[in-house]
Amino acid sequence: LPYQKGETFFPTLINSLIPRFIWANKPTTTDQNLFGWKYGFIAPNDESTTVLYSYIGELYINFSWSGTIIGMFIYGIFFRYIYEICIHKDKNGKYSDMGIFFYTLFWTTTIHIEGLLIPSLSGLIQYILLLIPVLLFLSFSANNKSATSDSFI
């Protein structure tokens, strides 16, 4: 399999940012089986089984060893940044429940043994957009309940 030169990253990034209801004829990623076919993990006529590479494998397939090393460094910075945003203490020295929730959601939706990074991140963004109204409602309800119970003291 020749180096993909970013073909598994950049078109997928653009495709994942635009919802299908806006772009009705959005192309699907059908070349995910090339890896499995090329290296004999799946039969040449098997179109229903998908064998993917890991995030590090995706870096290598796109950018060779130098891109893998640089990409791993960038991944490390990115994952540390997400950690710093989510896991922090408030002024009372307590961790944010919301931050721990989002960090857990981040890890469970993006880190897989095999899979592509960009679709995982776009799935995470979709989860967050769906959950923010629910979490804001729960937070608002908890704050009102706390304020009401404080007024009786």
Side-chain angles (χ1 to χ4, degrees):
L1 192 62
Y3 292 119
Q4 299 298 302
K5 300 178 184 166
E7 288 296 317
T8 69
F9 277 99
F10 305 117
T12 306
L13 176 63
I14 293 166
N15 289 347
S16 68
L17 295 176
I18 303 170
R20 194 166 293 280
F21 73 86
I22 293 174
W23 185 4
N25 296 327
K26 181 167 79 167
T28 58
T29 308
T30 57
D31 60 348
Q32 294 179 355
N33 284 341
L34 288 177
F35 178 74
W37 289 328
K38 173 74 176 171
Y39 294 104
F41 294 120
I42 55 178
N45 59 351
D46 186 352
E47 303 240 351
S48 61
T49 305
T50 301
V51 176
L52 289 175
Y53 27 82
S54 67
Y55 296 166
I56 296 171
E58 185 177 22
L59 288 171
Y60 179 77
I61 286 172
N62 279 284
F63 309 113
S64 181
W65 284 110
S66 58
T68 303
I69 292 168
I70 293 168
M72 289 170 55
F73 182 73
I74 293 169
Y75 283 174
I77 291 171
F78 174 71
F79 289 129
R80 179 59 187 211
Y81 180 71
I82 297 296
Y83 175 84
E84 291 294 330
I85 288 173
C86 294
I87 309 297
H88 61 277
K89 293 181 182 180
D90 62 13
K91 60 185 174 188
N92 298 325
K94 293 178 67 178
Y95 289 105
S96 163
D97 293 336
M98 188 84 69
I100 292 171
F101 174 78
F102 278 116
Y103 192 67
T104 304
L105 181 66
F106 170 78
W107 275 105
T108 58
T109 57
T110 59
I111 304 302
H112 306 284
I113 292 173
E114 61 179 35
L116 305 174
L117 180 65
I118 301 300
S120 296
L121 289 178
S122 67
L124 175 67
I125 292 168
Q126 292 170 4
Y127 280 138
I128 289 172
L129 291 176
L130 290 172
L131 285 173
I132 283 177
V134 173
L135 294 172
L136 288 173
F137 173 76
L138 292 173
S139 176
F140 179 74
S141 297
N143 287 339
N144 280 343
K145 186 176 182 180
S146 173
T148 305
S149 64
D150 289 344
S151 65
F152 291 115
I153 298 177

